[in-house]
Amino acid sequence: MTGDRIKILHLVESGWPGGVNSFVLELLRSLDLSRFPTAVCSFSSDGPVLEQMQHLGAEVFTVDLPSRYDPRTVWKYAQRIRAGGYQIVHANFGARMPRCTARMIGCRTIAHAHGLPEDWPRRPSGRGALAREFQAGYGGCSDAIVACSESIAETIAQACPPLAPRISVILNALNLDQWRPITAEEKRRRRLAAGLADDAIVIGFAGRLVALKRLDCLLAAAQRLVGRHPQLCFLLLGDGPLRGELERQ
C-alpha cells in the first residue's frame, strides 16, 4: 500500500443495469478515487454499464471465459488481481470462487449480500440447506459480510450463528438529487407523452430484464387481461439480455 491509498476491486456479474450495478455506480460517483482507487471486474462483457463505470474513473476489466469456474478463468483472474495490487476484493454477488482466490493471494475479502438465494424457502430441507450454503459460501473466504438490510443480516445470523460477528448492515443509499416528487400536472403530461389515456390503469415493472423476474408470465397475463379490461396498460422499464425476446412477445 502507498501512503493511505487503498486499492479496491468490485466484482459484478455483468454490465447490465440493475440494483447491484446501480450501487457500484453510486459508489464511484461518491468515493474519493484518489484515495480509494477502485476497479471493477465483470464476469461477462455484456451490457452498457461497464462503460459508464469506466467514464467515472474506475479501471474496468472482464474475465469473460466459458465458465466462471474454469481453471483458465481462475488463472486469468488471479493474474489480474496480482498485477493490479488490490488490497480489498468486494464481491457484489455470490462469487465464492473469486473471493477464495483473492484470499489465497493475500487480499482481504468482503461478501455483499444484496439479497438471499431465490429458491431457499422452497428447498425441502429448508433452513438447514441455507445454513450450509451460507457457511460454505461465506465461512472460509470472507473477512467481512455486508448485508443491505436488517432482515438479510438477521436471516444469515439466525441460519448460521458463527457468521454473526462478521456481519454489518449498510443500507443502500439514494442520491436524493436524482429523485423528487412530481406534480399532478407533470404526471398528466408524462402519461400523455407515453400515449396513456387519462383513465388508464397502469401496471408497471422496473428492473432487470432477466429470466429470474419471469416477465414472460407478466406479459402472458397482460395479454389475457387487456382484452377484458381495455383501460389496463402494462409498462416495463429496464434493460437486459431478454429485452429483444420480451419485445417480440
Side-chain angles (χ1 to χ4, degrees):
M1 190 185 305
T2 303
D4 61 351
R5 284 163 55 89
I6 300 173
K7 296 195 73 174
I8 303 165
L9 177 65
H10 278 272
L11 306 182
V12 298
E13 286 193 278
S14 74
W16 289 108
V20 166
N21 282 339
S22 296
F23 163 81
V24 175
L25 285 170
E26 282 303 316
L27 277 180
L28 294 174
R29 294 187 184 105
S30 305
L31 283 175
D32 179 357
L33 297 183
S34 66
R35 184 177 177 187
F36 301 100
T38 302
V40 177
C41 172
S42 172
F43 287 90
S44 169
S45 58
D46 292 338
V49 178
L50 300 180
E51 186 174 346
Q52 296 177 45
M53 294 175 179
Q54 197 166 26
H55 286 164
L56 288 170
E59 174 196 358
V60 176
F61 64 91
T62 61
V63 180
D64 195 11
L65 292 172
S67 169
R68 190 179 305 143
Y69 304 100
D70 187 289
R72 294 171 298 167
T73 307
V74 179
W75 174 251
K76 181 178 179 180
Y77 163 75
Q79 291 296 97
R80 289 301 300 260
I81 291 181
R82 282 201 175 99
Y86 307 109
Q87 285 92 36
I88 296 174
V89 171
H90 188 131
N92 291 287
F93 63 105
R96 180 187 176 195
M97 181 279 292
R99 278 185 283 115
C100 290
T101 304
R103 286 200 76 182
M104 286 190 293
I105 59 178
C107 295
R108 306 297 292 273
T109 60
I110 298 171
H112 201 138
H114 291 274
L116 295 172
E118 296 290 336
D119 64 340
W120 77 265
R122 301 189 296 275
R123 295 174 186 165
S125 50
R127 290 188 178 272
L130 185 64
R132 290 190 294 274
E133 182 169 329
F134 284 147
Q135 182 59 44
Y138 298 146
C141 53
S142 296
D143 294 292
I145 302 167
V146 173
C148 70
S149 71
E150 295 285 354
S151 174
I152 290 174
E154 290 172 6
T155 299
I156 297 173
Q158 290 173 5
C160 195
L163 297 178
R166 298 189 220 168
I167 302 172
S168 300
V169 176
I170 302 177
L171 304 178
N172 288 344
L174 285 176
N175 182 349
L176 296 181
D177 292 336
Q178 297 180 351
W179 302 95
R180 60 179 176 81
I182 64 172
T183 65
E185 176 58 24
E186 187 175 358
K187 183 176 181 180
R188 188 188 71 82
R189 288 200 305 268
R190 290 189 180 190
R191 288 169 67 96
L192 289 175
L196 301 172
D198 284 340
D199 63 345
I201 299 172
V202 182
I203 298 174
F205 166 88
R208 293 178 297 140
L209 306 185
V210 295
L212 177 66
K213 307 296 186 180
R214 294 315 309 267
L215 293 171
D216 55 328
C217 295
L218 176 62
L219 292 179
Q223 186 176 25
R224 297 180 64 179
L225 289 170
V226 293
R228 288 179 282 170
H229 306 281
Q231 75 275 29
L232 283 179
C233 178
F234 289 77
L235 187 62
L236 275 60
L237 306 176
D239 202 355
L242 293 186
R243 178 166 183 156
E245 181 179 331
L246 293 169
E247 287 176 338
R248 287 190 292 272
Q249 184 181 353

